[in-house]
Amino acid sequence: MIYNEEFETLPREAIRALQVKRLQGVLQRVYHTVGYYKKAFDAAGIKPDDFQAMADMHRLPFTNRKDLRENYPFGLFAVPMSSIVRLHASSGTSGVSTVFGYTRHDIDIWSELMARSLAAAGLTKNDIVHNAYGYGLFTGGLGLHYGAEKIGASVIPMSGGNTKRQIMILQDFGPTAICSTPSYALHLAEEGKAQGVDMKSLKLRVGIFGAEPWSKAICAEIEQAFSITALNIFGLSEVMGPGIAMECLEGRNGMHVFEDHFIVETINPATGEILPEGEEGELVFTTLTKEAFPLIRYRSGDISRLITEPCRCGRSHIRMERVVKRSDDMLIIRGINVFPSQVEAILVAIEGLEPHYQLIVDKAGALDSVELQVEVSEKIFSESGGVKDLQNIERRIVKDMKDYLGISPRVKLVEPNTLQRQAGAFKKVIDKRKF
Ligand code: DLL
């Protein structure tokens, strides 16, 4: 089912023409309203008028996560605060977190793109949607919520956690669609089974999963566990949130990127060079309609490949393959993006700790588990009030990790110089998960 027939089936040439026209407007606007872009364009020796065709894309400077962090919290906003109606943010302490703003019009467009995504999964006003993405600063919960309301479906704003209650509601309210991270869906299936609930006999027909990497094998496992069709939804908060790309029921191969609102490119992450469509590389997104937080050539860090073959669903928008790799050190733990630098920032703020740590990420059943081993200083070890001090430090780490990053690691304090080093350096992250 195509929500916006006119724009989702535009001929390729018309899409390109629309992108050029819209981007020309965006470039003028960011150059004249956002100091950061003026500086970046001047440094690259380019003026907004120099962009005349898609072939000029490579001349525009990239925007990185570092640029967002350096302009924390509102430095990249292109409208005054009085025009902002919503803020979302990534996890992290100040300086390593990023903030995203939306005008009323931005929320309308986002809702429409989410409505398109849900329609691509076959949802209508007759569906009941169990939304188990987290509500709050994370874009998943509210993003899905507004889209589901827009198509007129009945939304259950479940958010994450409270698994027993979720299972009860799944049985009692009879939702026909479920939205969550793929790992949480598997967790629900496992818990349901443990409680003796037949998850296959629920009324669920389709699931819309994303926010973290998941393989085709996990997809098959979810489909089997609930007896549903499991579709992939992609997005990142910097660019908008969920609903940048969505797999359709008919194609089942890659996710359509809503190209009337975003330009997607693949680049060689090492050189920044644009790759021919179809080659694997880092996805770079440019927003074409966002008012509050426009982004020019944002390097997502996600590795994928663009699929140019027409899709049998009739949508003309290009597809991107399932994302399971990144070009940087970002981890996604239970759907939350975590950088080692953020863990480090938390640890160095605690007295008595060395910034020497190891993060060991694994699976405990369907969900991610994290162990954080941290070296304590010699001083603490020799002078401290013994076990009690160490326990306090441990508790503080657990609390700060939960408060700032939203993850709850098992913390193990270890003696100075005990973490394994290789050629003087130690491996900060050991990720044992398989995608
Ligand atoms: O995860 C937005 C979202 C919410 C997408 C709900 C889908 C559903 P962030 O927290 O900013 O936003 O994380 C964005 O998550 O750069 C990818 O690395 C990863 N990611 C998102 N969707 C997928 C997916 C939301 N379907 C980061 N497959 C992105 C693989 C995904 N990775």
Side-chain angles (χ1 to χ4, degrees):
M1 206 175 330
I2 301 184
Y3 184 81
N4 188 331
E5 188 84 37
E6 182 191 349
F7 281 97
E8 291 184 76
T9 62
L10 272 184
R12 299 289 315 155
E13 319 78 69
I15 292 180
R16 284 301 189 209
L18 181 67
Q19 289 182 325
V20 170
K21 188 167 142 253
R22 286 188 165 170
L23 183 52
Q24 284 173 330
V26 175
L27 294 176
Q28 289 292 351
R29 216 157 55 76
V30 297
Y31 188 80
H32 295 292
T33 54
V34 185
Y36 162 80
Y37 282 111
K38 180 166 189 321
K39 254 196 236 152
F41 285 23
D42 287 349
I46 182 161
K47 290 268 179 291
D49 281 341
D50 296 339
F51 181 83
Q52 290 300 327
M54 289 308 279
D56 295 324
M57 258 338 257
H58 72 279
R59 301 179 59 194
L60 301 174
F62 290 119
T63 310
N64 294 303
R65 191 178 302 264
K66 186 166 159 282
D67 303 316
L68 269 52
R69 286 180 178 171
E70 284 173 3
N71 288 283
Y72 174 90
F74 308 141
L76 289 184
F77 288 8
V79 298
M81 210 56 193
S82 54
S83 303
I84 301 269
V85 300
R86 175 96 65 81
L87 294 163
H88 282 282
S90 72
S91 63
T93 49
S94 57
V96 283
S97 161
T98 39
V99 184
F100 326 106
Y102 302 77
T103 62
R104 165 80 48 217
H105 184 253
D106 291 335
I107 297 284
D108 288 347
I109 300 263
W110 187 13
S111 308
E112 147 136 15
L113 299 189
M114 278 311 312
R116 287 189 194 179
S117 304
L118 298 179
L123 299 194
T124 68
K125 64 180 173 65
N126 298 321
D127 281 287
I128 302 178
V129 180
H130 181 104
N131 185 13
Y133 284 113
Y135 281 66
L137 287 174
F138 175 58
T139 51
L142 286 169
L144 265 291
H145 186 104
Y146 274 56
E149 280 193 352
K150 184 141 183 120
I151 59 167
S154 322
V155 198
I156 309 171
M158 198 62 231
S159 202
N162 304 320
T163 303
K164 281 206 177 100
R165 184 136 194 251
Q166 301 231 9
I167 292 168
M168 178 191 92
I169 285 176
L170 282 168
Q171 291 174 282
D172 296 352
F173 294 11
T176 47
I178 181 163
C179 310
S180 73
T181 59
S183 53
Y184 191 67
L186 278 181
H187 180 63
L188 275 173
E190 275 173 8
E191 286 288 304
K193 199 168 159 199
Q195 287 177 30
V197 179
D198 178 9
M199 301 303 269
K200 287 193 178 73
S201 68
L202 297 171
K203 292 220 178 78
L204 292 174
R205 179 178 89 240
V206 65
I208 294 141
F209 305 109
E212 65 185 13
W214 56 309
S215 61
K216 282 200 171 136
I218 296 177
C219 179
E221 224 178 293
I222 297 176
E223 293 197 322
Q224 170 75 20
F226 290 94
S227 189
I228 57 171
T229 303
L231 298 174
N232 204 352
I233 184 163
F234 173 87
L236 54 157
S237 320
E238 296 91 316
V239 177
M240 183 181 78
I244 290 165
M246 175 73 196
E247 182 179 359
C248 61
L249 267 180
E250 299 85 352
R252 302 304 314 270
N253 178 25
M255 298 168 268
H256 292 279
V257 178
F258 296 118
E259 285 184 287
D260 46 336
H261 296 277
F262 311 102
I263 294 174
V264 60
E265 306 167 87
T266 31
I267 62 159
N268 175 331
T271 62
E273 186 196 343
I274 301 179
L275 297 171
E277 280 172 350
E279 269 185 39
E280 184 181 277
E282 180 180 345
L283 298 175
V284 171
F285 292 95
T286 298
T287 67
L288 297 174
T289 48
K290 274 177 68 189
E291 292 179 338
F293 196 69
L295 273 181
I296 306 297
R297 300 195 84 202
Y298 183 67
R299 291 189 57 162
S300 69
D302 291 312
I303 304 287
S304 179
R305 187 179 282 132
L306 298 176
I307 305 170
T308 49
E309 286 87 57
C311 181
R312 57 175 157 244
C313 70
R315 286 178 187 80
S316 53
H317 294 184
I318 206 166
R319 282 171 287 170
M320 53 175 271
E321 263 182 10
R322 187 177 281 284
V323 171
V324 284
K325 271 193 271 176
R326 293 209 33 106
S327 64
D328 59 11
D329 58 358
M330 185 178 98
L331 294 157
I332 304 187
I333 297 170
R334 298 196 179 192
I336 299 169
N337 305 347
V338 180
F339 287 89
S341 57
Q342 295 177 313
V343 175
E344 210 155 302
I346 284 174
L347 297 180
V348 296
I350 302 176
E351 210 189 327
L353 291 184
E354 299 286 346
H356 298 158
Y357 65 91
Q358 197 162 59
L359 204 59
I360 303 154
V361 192
D362 205 348
K363 286 274 180 196
L367 297 179
D368 297 328
S369 71
V370 186
E371 181 173 310
L372 177 60
Q373 299 193 356
V374 193
E375 287 185 0
V376 289
S377 66
E378 287 284 2
K379 193 161 160 263
I380 285 279
F381 229 77
S382 45
E383 289 177 10
S384 79
V387 180
K388 205 147 180 247
D389 268 8
L390 294 176
Q391 274 176 348
N392 282 340
I393 295 179
E394 224 169 69
R395 251 180 254 139
R396 165 90 189 271
I397 301 174
V398 172
K399 186 159 177 3
D400 285 1
M401 289 285 288
K402 177 77 189 153
D403 286 352
Y404 289 116
L405 300 183
I407 59 175
S408 306
R410 268 189 320 278
V411 173
K412 244 191 196 170
L413 295 179
V414 298
E415 289 178 40
N417 299 314
T418 48
L419 288 179
Q420 215 183 348
R421 283 158 171 80
Q422 280 164 351
F426 53 98
K427 220 171 163 225
K428 291 180 179 167
V429 176
I430 299 176
D431 195 343
K432 298 182 174 167
R433 299 170 300 175
K434 288 190 186 65
F435 299 111

